[in-house]
Structure formats: C-alpha cells, structure tokens
Amino acid sequence: MNASPRIIIPVVQLTENEEQVKQALQICNACRYCETFCAVFPAMTKRLEFTQADIHYMANLCHNCGACLHACQYAPPHEFGVNIPQAMAQVRLETYQEFAVPASFGQIYKKTGITLVSVMTVLFFLLMLAGTWLNGTDLFGKYQGDFYAIFPHNFLAVLFGSVFVTAFILLGLGIIKFWKQTSDIIPEGVAQTDIIQASKNVLTLKYLDGGHGKGCNEEDDRYTQIRRVFHHFTMYGFLLCFLATIVATIYHYFFGLQAPYAYTSLPVILGTLGGLGLVIGPIGLLYLNIKRDPMHGDAKQKPMDRGFIFLLLIVSITGLALMVFRDTTAMALLLIIHLATVMTFFLTIPFGKFAHGFYRSAALLKFAVEERTAKSKTK
C-alpha cells in the first residue's frame, strides 16, 4: 500500500521587524487590556498564531494612534519592551517595499524625502522651461489666464494623463499583491456591506480616534483629535482638487467650455477649497510629525512622510498662486513651476507615502469581512 503524499507547507522566514511584531502580538493576545482599542486588537484576538500575511495585514491596519503604547503595562522600560506602534511602523514600511511594482523600485520608498522631491521638481521645471524657450514662448507675456497659450491642451492631457494612469496602475498592482497575500483566508468573498463599512471607516478616518473616540496620543498621554482633523483637511483637500479636475474635463470635452474659468465657476471653487485644505492639512501634519513622540517608532518613515507633506504643500501653494496671478506677467513661470510639482507628485504616487492610504483601505476592507463573518458565526 502506497503512503499518501505528504503536503509540504513552505516555511516563510520572517524579518527581524516581523518577528518583533509577532512577539508583541503574542504578549498582547495574552493580556488583552487594549482589546477595545483600534481595529488591530479585534483582528488580533481572532488568531492564536500570526503568519507573515497576518503581520502584514495588521501592520497596515494600525493607524499609529499611540493609544496602546501609552496604555501598555509592558511598554519600555519593562523588560518585555512591547511597543506596537513602533513595531507596526517598521513592518509597514517593509510591506510598501515588498509589494511595489516593479519590485526593484521598492527601495524608492526609503528615498522619497524632501531632497529627492526637490531634485525631481527642479529637473522637471528646467525641462519645461527649456521647452518653452525652444518654442519661443514669452515667459513674461500677458496671456489673460490662458494656460494653453503656454502648453497646448492636448499635450498636457496626454503627458500628465498617461503618467497619472500609469502611476495608479502600478500602485493598483501592488495593492492586488498585498490583498492576495493577506486575504487568501477569506473563502466567503467580499460582500457589499463590507465595502460600505470599510468605506465609512476610511472616509471618517475612524481609527484615528484611538478606538475609544478620544483621539491619538501625540507628544504624551493626553488624547487629541488634532491628527485626525489635519488628516481630514489633507484627504478631502486632495479629493476636492481631483473633483475640480474631473469637472473641468467635463466642461472641456462635453460642454465645449475651455479654461480659464471664472472665479465663481465650479472647477475654480472646488480647486480653491481643495488647495486651502492641502495647505492647512499638510502644515498641521508636518508640525505633528516634528513634535511626535519618538517612541511611536515611525522615525524610519519620517523622510518619506516629510517628503510627501512637502510635495503636497508646494503643489497646493503653487496652484493657488497660479490662480491668483493668472492674469499677470507671472502666469507662465508659475504654471511651469506648478506643472513640475504635479509631475513629481504623479511619478511618486506608487512609491511614496500616498500609497499608505490604499494599503490601509485594503486592510480595513479585510477587517470588515472578518467582523461580518465573526458575527454571523455567533448567531
């Protein structure tokens, strides 16, 4: 009688940071003092063992609010040294690198700081400046706000549109890789209610309230909602700017209305509100990033964080300046500067801090599925 074939399960070698998360979660799972905190802890209590997929999932589920660190009786200087925010932040950065597409570009996440962003912006500025010079464009002429007198509409639409779409395709492929690894244990699939619940948690930034509604811990044990507020300004500022672009596209292609649009028009109003949000939010987040308790452990992400914040600021400030001074002789130069910052932003979409929102959204979707299936099993 032949013996049945043995199933060989490959053993995944965890990184040092992943091992640190695994050990911390095992201690937390025994303690459970923070069980009512953010989504990480309900997800943790559903597991007895933690695979690499579990660790990647929960690292991106963590919002780094700091509540568990300040509540933990095993946090440093205790010999166990449990520091969930620090451990999760380190693994989170590793996941961005691991799931990047192309994989060889993963290391860019470590380098997308202010220096790289500045160099890229200056490079694109010089390239576009050279293009206008070769075209014989008067950089200090008055164009009555007509941007297309500097660069043709079709040129801008094809160039920036193709880069934007390509960037989101690469980011999407990375998110798909992350989803496949972390969600292979969801046989029931994703229900509509899961999507609604995850979307609600994303749009309200639910877990930046610490899980208890009081907010994050920034510099000390005091709770504050300020980090959540500045994230809201940033997120909705970006969405309003994106919506302004969509509306302007509809105006151009479907109604034959070409820029420049009046200050009272919908694209300008949406863009102005979005631009203001992208000034207030990033300035606040930069301040919090500088003042943040180093125990939260996101020091390795700070170059990426600050590079992204800086980029959002220069995109929004140059965009607002372009709108204000579009009827002056400064318009052409401001347009070139703004377009250079936008191109830098587009190119760094798959390999910078912008990606974290999408990884976290995928983790929140899986969390919604787990919560629904857990409730259905208890009925």
Side-chain angles (χ1 to χ4, degrees):
M1 183 175 178
N2 294 331
S4 10
R6 289 190 301 171
I7 298 175
I8 301 175
I9 300 176
V11 177
V12 178
Q13 184 67 40
L14 300 181
T15 66
E16 181 180 347
N17 291 326
E18 289 167 351
E19 283 286 358
Q20 187 180 2
V21 169
K22 181 179 179 179
Q23 292 172 12
L25 288 174
Q26 287 170 337
I27 295 171
C28 291
N29 221 357
C31 173
R32 298 200 176 187
Y33 180 81
C34 299
E35 192 170 350
T36 58
F37 282 14
C38 76
V40 170
F41 295 96
M44 176 197 71
T45 57
K46 294 178 175 63
R47 293 162 170 80
L48 296 176
E49 295 291 334
F50 301 97
T51 65
Q52 186 184 59
D54 294 327
I55 293 167
H56 287 174
Y57 158 53
M58 282 184 272
N60 283 279
L61 198 57
C62 171
H63 286 56
N64 208 314
C65 69
C68 60
L69 173 65
H70 291 273
C72 183
Q73 59 186 320
Y74 301 116
H78 191 279
E79 60 181 322
F80 287 177
V82 175
N83 188 333
I84 290 291
Q86 182 181 74
M88 294 295 195
Q90 291 170 345
V91 170
R92 203 157 45 243
L93 181 58
E94 289 182 355
T95 62
Y96 302 155
Q97 297 170 38
E98 179 175 339
F99 295 109
V101 177
S104 57
F105 283 24
Q107 290 299 312
I108 297 177
Y109 276 104
K110 290 183 177 180
K111 302 172 183 177
T112 50
I114 292 177
T115 302
L116 178 62
V117 165
S118 301
V119 169
M120 290 178 66
T121 301
V122 170
L123 176 62
F124 290 125
F125 170 76
L126 293 175
L127 286 173
M128 282 186 275
L129 192 64
T132 55
W133 179 75
L134 291 173
N135 199 42
T137 303
D138 181 5
L139 284 177
F140 301 99
K142 274 199 171 186
Y143 297 95
Q144 289 75 48
D146 184 8
F147 305 146
Y148 305 137
I150 312 300
F151 296 105
H153 174 269
N154 290 341
F155 169 77
L156 293 178
V158 172
L159 176 62
F160 284 83
S162 59
V163 172
F164 181 79
V165 170
T166 301
F168 264 91
I169 289 174
L170 293 178
L171 176 58
L173 292 173
I175 303 301
I176 290 171
K177 285 172 63 179
F178 170 75
W179 179 260
K180 285 182 176 179
Q181 188 220 44
T182 57
S183 302
D184 57 358
I185 59 170
I186 303 181
E188 303 89 352
V190 178
Q192 183 180 8
T193 54
D194 303 327
I195 297 173
I196 293 172
Q197 183 59 49
S199 299
K200 179 181 177 182
N201 290 337
V202 170
L203 293 174
T204 61
L205 298 173
K206 160 66 181 169
Y207 293 107
L208 282 179
D209 68 356
H212 40 56
K214 298 177 182 178
C216 297
N217 298 99
E218 290 298 319
E219 301 176 56
D220 48 39
D221 291 340
R222 181 178 60 89
Y223 295 122
T224 172
Q225 294 280 3
I226 194 64
R227 184 162 170 250
R228 190 182 187 189
V229 169
F230 285 137
H231 269 88
H232 271 299
F233 270 110
T234 304
M235 180 173 73
Y236 284 102
F238 175 81
L239 291 176
L240 284 171
C241 288
F242 185 63
L243 183 59
T245 303
I246 292 175
V247 172
T249 302
I250 294 173
Y251 275 20
H252 184 91
Y253 287 105
F254 292 92
F255 299 117
L257 301 174
Q258 296 187 0
Y261 301 113
Y263 288 113
T264 55
S265 66
L266 188 57
V268 174
I269 291 173
L270 291 172
T272 302
L273 293 175
L276 291 173
L278 282 177
V279 171
I280 297 170
I283 286 177
L285 291 176
L286 181 60
Y287 171 79
L288 294 178
N289 186 275
I290 294 170
K291 300 287 288 183
R292 195 157 172 79
D293 187 340
M295 285 291 288
H296 285 225
D298 47 8
K300 291 184 178 179
Q301 290 191 32
K302 281 191 175 182
M304 177 176 65
D305 291 347
R306 293 177 184 179
F308 178 60
I309 292 171
F310 174 71
L311 184 54
L312 287 180
L313 273 174
I314 57 175
V315 167
S316 54
I317 290 172
T318 56
L320 290 171
L322 180 60
M323 181 195 67
V324 172
F325 297 104
R326 67 183 187 179
D327 293 324
T328 71
T329 56
M331 188 272 279
L333 206 55
L334 284 171
L335 176 64
I336 294 172
I337 295 171
H338 180 62
L339 291 177
T341 64
V342 172
M343 179 61 78
T344 300
F345 173 70
F346 283 2
L347 286 174
T348 56
I349 280 175
F351 311 111
K353 184 67 173 182
F354 184 83
H356 88 288
F358 292 84
Y359 282 96
R360 185 160 289 155
S361 298
L364 284 168
L365 180 57
K366 177 176 178 176
F367 178 67
V369 175
E370 288 190 344
E371 289 290 280
R372 172 179 56 83
T373 53
K375 288 177 182 176
S376 65
K377 290 175 183 177
T378 59
K379 290 182 179 179

